[in-house]
Amino acid sequence: MAEIVIVPGEAEAGDLVADAIVDLIHRKPDAVLGLATGSTPLPIYRALAQRIRDESVDVRGVRGFALDEYVGLPAGHPESYRAVIRREVVEPLGLTPELVRVPNGDPAGIEHAGADYEAAIVAAGGVDLQILGIGRTGHIGFNEPGSSLASLTRVKTLTEATRLDNARFFDSPDDVPMHCITQGIGTILRARHLVLLAFGEAKADAIAAAVEGAVSAAQPGSAIQLHPHVTVLVDEAAASKFENLAYYRHAWANKPAWQGI
Ligand code: F6R
């Protein structure tokens, strides 16, 4: 079972994950991070940037792979995930830009962009720690309901619900691209440690289905149940639909001191 951690707020979640990432980098200076975009991971990137500065953590060898990218945004568009990852992750953390990759959403060559990305992840030795958010539709990456649990990086069509949710980053909902290129669920499951975060009541149904529902392509987040090392961090509002809430609190309160997340 995934370890479920109920945190008082986003900042505490960010601190816990930043601790785990700093430990990982100390053990493995060329660690491979799986990077999510959107609002959810921002507390991690903030906490991590602070730790790296305060403790002079050497991150020059750290590598990264973004989960997904829109297809067809003009090069340099500020909401392309290439630009977002540079702005919110590479620059504040001081990562080496050439070591951080984002799927190529350029329509020219899109037919082999998925396979190229998979090959790059394999060549890097796989992802050590994958950061994940979850959409209201239950998607992880941009694997919308119905995505194969064995899928690899490929082009997907976004649901209208996801396009509406992401319209906040664009001038109008119509400007949100219809297509994306995303790591598949099979790709995500190959990472060695999955860290899934959800904050706020709007995510409560999706995260409960992911953690406690049946494993099903209809609920892409439920694929985490197939993975041996998953940490789920939620605030009280996102935790409000869990049936086993009392047990999750009990297990966390009695967690052995030697065990990290
Ligand atoms: C982002 C991603 C998505 C988001 C999800 C939640 O790279 O793959 O799965 O994690 O849409 O988005 P936020 O965090 O903005 O609520």
Side-chain angles (χ1 to χ4, degrees), residues 78-248:
E79 293 309 327
S80 72
Y81 285 169
R82 176 172 306 280
V84 172
I85 289 283
R86 189 181 336 106
R87 194 168 64 234
E88 288 172 354
V89 185
V90 174
E91 287 171 0
L93 268 55
L95 301 185
T96 305
E98 302 76 47
L99 297 183
V100 180
R101 291 191 55 160
V102 179
N104 189 348
D106 186 342
I110 196 75
E111 58 285 352
H112 53 78
D116 291 351
Y117 204 62
E118 288 292 327
I121 296 174
V122 170
V127 170
D128 291 301
L129 185 150
Q130 176 65 58
I131 299 167
L132 295 168
I134 190 164
R136 281 190 308 139
T137 64
H139 69 222
I140 50 173
F142 272 144
N143 296 282
E144 298 284 24
S147 296
S148 158
L149 300 182
S151 50
L152 301 178
T153 306
R154 75 248 183 264
V155 172
K156 289 291 289 180
T157 306
L158 294 170
T159 59
E160 285 305 297
T162 297
R163 291 184 70 223
L164 275 178
D165 281 347
N166 287 8
R168 67 190 193 279
F169 298 113
F170 292 83
D171 291 338
S172 95
D174 290 341
D175 291 346
V176 183
M178 188 67 74
H179 296 107
C180 62
I181 176 166
T182 179
Q183 287 191 30
I185 297 175
T187 320
I188 292 168
L189 290 177
R190 288 177 185 164
R192 286 180 271 279
H193 181 193
L194 304 183
V195 178
L196 170 60
L197 301 97
F199 305 122
E201 207 188 333
K203 299 290 178 74
D205 285 320
I207 198 71
V211 171
E212 297 180 338
V215 175
S216 161
Q219 288 292 342
S222 67
I224 63 166
Q225 296 175 40
L226 300 169
H227 193 283
H229 187 188
V230 184
T231 310
V232 176
L233 297 117
V234 286
D235 62 7
E236 294 286 346
S240 60
K241 301 274 174 73
F242 285 140
E243 282 185 12
N244 282 330
L245 187 56
Y247 174 66
Y248 305 146

Side-chain angles (χ1 to χ4, degrees), residues 1-106:
M1 198 193 88
E3 175 166 61
I4 317 296
V5 188
I6 293 108
V7 288
E10 300 183 13
E12 288 81 359
D15 287 341
L16 272 172
V17 182
D19 281 353
I21 293 175
V22 169
D23 285 352
L24 170 66
I25 295 170
H26 285 320
R27 284 197 312 275
K28 184 178 178 187
D30 62 348
V32 180
L33 302 178
L35 303 165
T37 50
S39 305
T40 307
L42 295 178
I44 301 175
Y45 302 141
R46 266 196 293 274
L48 193 52
Q50 187 74 42
R51 293 279 307 267
I52 290 168
R53 266 198 307 276
D54 292 353
E55 297 165 33
S56 304
V57 181
D58 183 354
V59 295
R60 284 171 299 175
V62 171
R63 296 166 290 166
F65 287 91
L67 270 174
D68 36 27
E69 174 62 294
Y70 293 114
V71 171
L73 285 181
H77 190 292
E79 293 309 327
S80 72
Y81 285 169
R82 176 172 306 280
V84 172
I85 289 283
R86 189 181 336 106
R87 194 168 64 234
E88 288 172 354
V89 185
V90 174
E91 287 171 0
L93 268 55
L95 301 185
T96 305
E98 302 76 47
L99 297 183
V100 180
R101 291 191 55 160
V102 179
N104 189 348
D106 186 342

